[in-house]
Amino acid sequence: MCSFAADGSVQANPRDSLPMKVWKGLVDDVAPWRPYIWLTGGEPTLWPGLAELLAHCRTRGLLTGVTTNGTMLATVADAIMRCPMDIMVVSVDGVADVHNVVRGRDSSFERMAEGVAAIRRLKGASRSSRPTLVLSCAITPDNYDRLGDLLDVAEEFGADALSFQHLWQTTPAMVAEHNQKWGRAHRLPVPELGAQPQQVDVDRLLQAISVVRRASPRIPVLFQPDLTESEVGLYYAEPERFVKRRRAACAWLNTDVLPNGDVSPCFGMVCGNIAQQGFREIWNGPVFAEHRRRLSVEGDFPICARCCAYWRRD
């Protein structure tokens, strides 16, 4: 489900990350522009520096968020809640029997529930408004017809919002088309495919979506991207086709910084490394500028068709 995991970008020992002074330097470099800082992975709660970096972001007045599988939250809750992030997104795949199968661990759901409860308990004790808790479900062949189950889970967990993510995907056909056009400057390896969108029965998925939309829960429920019924059919039946065309804006709005310090605005594209250059120098540098130029000329890449960054404008 995650290209970062599939291509090995985050397959490193958390203790081998760059020194904390480098990460704090990155925060200090971008702080005047007041971006939000989002820590994801991999699993960010495995990183020993998580709480310290969150606290540093707070001293610079920056909004912070963390995406976690929740299994380590009970262990790190005390440290996190001394200076909590603004938004905590907890990945959930369904009720316990579904979630544990998807995660490949018999106790994943129970550990996640324990961790969320610990955060809520400390949040209440400190009378803090942070973090806002969002449950996020990736729609996959394992859970697509049981989306309504998550409404009860969200209520049980005391979530502030529930988000469903249609399956993000990079297929060999996308990569082949991309490399034919842009391979010299931005070549991608053929991906090792995980979940297959064609394994989703669209009629059953639409029924599940309808159940969720009709339920009128007490919290916001979001679908990303937000698609019509006909667009859902196209999205899963023909992954290489765009269901909607829009100008790709990701390279002007945000970028990923990988655990080794590489600044990577797109899969397979590295524009510099924060251990060797300041972030602003990289952001405004020639490699990043050329990446933006390619997007400006093309409008989007073939691999944008099922990429989460293509649909976002935050």
Side-chain angles (χ1 to χ4, degrees), residues 109-132:
F109 185 90
E110 291 74 15
R111 290 178 62 188
M112 175 184 62
E114 179 187 4
V116 170
I119 293 292
R120 290 184 64 197
R121 185 169 56 251
L122 292 170
K123 180 179 175 181
S126 63
R127 298 184 179 180
S128 173
S129 61
R130 296 187 296 263
T132 295

Side-chain angles (χ1 to χ4, degrees), residues 112-163:
M112 175 184 62
E114 179 187 4
V116 170
I119 293 292
R120 290 184 64 197
R121 185 169 56 251
L122 292 170
K123 180 179 175 181
S126 63
R127 298 184 179 180
S128 173
S129 61
R130 296 187 296 263
T132 295
L133 174 63
V134 179
L135 296 188
S136 179
C137 174
I139 298 173
T140 71
D142 298 290
N143 65 12
Y144 70 91
D145 56 351
R146 296 185 61 181
L147 303 185
D149 294 349
L150 269 301
L151 297 172
D152 293 333
V153 174
E155 184 172 350
E156 176 188 347
F157 281 17
D160 298 296
L162 173 61
S163 175

Side-chain angles (χ1 to χ4, degrees), residues 60-122:
R60 300 309 304 263
L62 300 183
L63 182 77
T64 57
V66 171
T67 299
T68 173
N69 64 26
T71 57
M72 290 290 293
L73 279 180
T75 303
V76 302
D78 286 329
I80 285 177
M81 289 305 297
R82 283 195 283 270
C83 190
M85 70 288 288
D86 295 280
I87 304 171
M88 175 184 291
V89 175
V90 178
S91 299
V92 59
D93 300 298
V95 292
D97 62 324
V98 175
H99 182 88
N100 289 343
V101 167
V102 173
R103 298 285 157 169
R105 296 288 186 274
D106 291 341
S107 61
S108 289
F109 185 90
E110 291 74 15
R111 290 178 62 188
M112 175 184 62
E114 179 187 4
V116 170
I119 293 292
R120 290 184 64 197
R121 185 169 56 251
L122 292 170

Side-chain angles (χ1 to χ4, degrees), residues 18-282:
L18 295 174
M20 179 58 69
K21 66 178 182 180
V22 177
W23 296 113
K24 288 183 177 179
L26 167 63
V27 171
D28 294 340
D29 201 11
V30 302
W33 285 268
R34 302 188 67 78
Y36 68 81
I37 304 293
W38 204 278
L39 299 168
T40 182
E43 178 47 49
T45 58
L46 291 172
W47 181 45
L50 175 62
E52 184 177 352
L53 190 60
L54 287 172
H56 185 69
C57 291
R58 180 57 48 78
T59 66
R60 300 309 304 263
L62 300 183
L63 182 77
T64 57
V66 171
T67 299
T68 173
N69 64 26
T71 57
M72 290 290 293
L73 279 180
T75 303
V76 302
D78 286 329
I80 285 177
M81 289 305 297
R82 283 195 283 270
C83 190
M85 70 288 288
D86 295 280
I87 304 171
M88 175 184 291
V89 175
V90 178
S91 299
V92 59
D93 300 298
V95 292
D97 62 324
V98 175
H99 182 88
N100 289 343
V101 167
V102 173
R103 298 285 157 169
R105 296 288 186 274
D106 291 341
S107 61
S108 289
F109 185 90
E110 291 74 15
R111 290 178 62 188
M112 175 184 62
E114 179 187 4
V116 170
I119 293 292
R120 290 184 64 197
R121 185 169 56 251
L122 292 170
K123 180 179 175 181
S126 63
R127 298 184 179 180
S128 173
S129 61
R130 296 187 296 263
T132 295
L133 174 63
V134 179
L135 296 188
S136 179
C137 174
I139 298 173
T140 71
D142 298 290
N143 65 12
Y144 70 91
D145 56 351
R146 296 185 61 181
L147 303 185
D149 294 349
L150 269 301
L151 297 172
D152 293 333
V153 174
E155 184 172 350
E156 176 188 347
F157 281 17
D160 298 296
L162 173 61
S163 175
F164 293 98
Q165 317 282 327
H166 286 290
L167 186 64
W168 309 121
Q169 191 79 15
T170 305
T171 69
M174 290 179 196
V175 172
E177 184 181 354
H178 176 91
N179 285 341
Q180 183 178 15
K181 185 171 292 187
W182 302 112
R184 289 188 178 182
H186 180 189
R187 189 164 193 83
L188 294 172
V190 176
E192 295 182 12
L193 291 179
Q196 299 292 309
Q198 290 88 348
Q199 294 173 353
V200 172
D201 183 315
V202 172
D203 289 336
R204 291 166 62 190
L205 171 58
L206 289 172
Q207 291 175 9
I209 292 174
S210 178
V211 167
V212 171
R213 293 194 187 277
R214 291 199 314 265
S216 299
R218 289 176 290 180
I219 61 173
V221 176
L222 311 171
F223 284 87
Q224 298 184 26
D226 194 6
L227 304 173
T228 66
E229 289 191 6
S230 61
E231 289 169 344
V232 169
L234 174 59
Y235 192 95
Y236 286 90
E238 302 180 58
E240 291 79 24
R241 285 184 58 189
F242 286 82
V243 295
K244 300 175 183 177
R245 299 306 287 253
R246 62 194 308 182
R247 299 292 294 181
C250 48
W252 288 264
L253 296 177
N254 51 55
T255 187
D256 296 307
V257 183
L258 303 180
N260 66 356
D262 283 348
V263 176
S264 179
C266 186
F267 297 123
M269 170 57 56
V270 175
C271 296
N273 188 288
I274 60 170
Q276 302 162 6
Q277 295 173 274
F279 179 84
R280 282 183 289 173
E281 182 182 357
I282 298 170

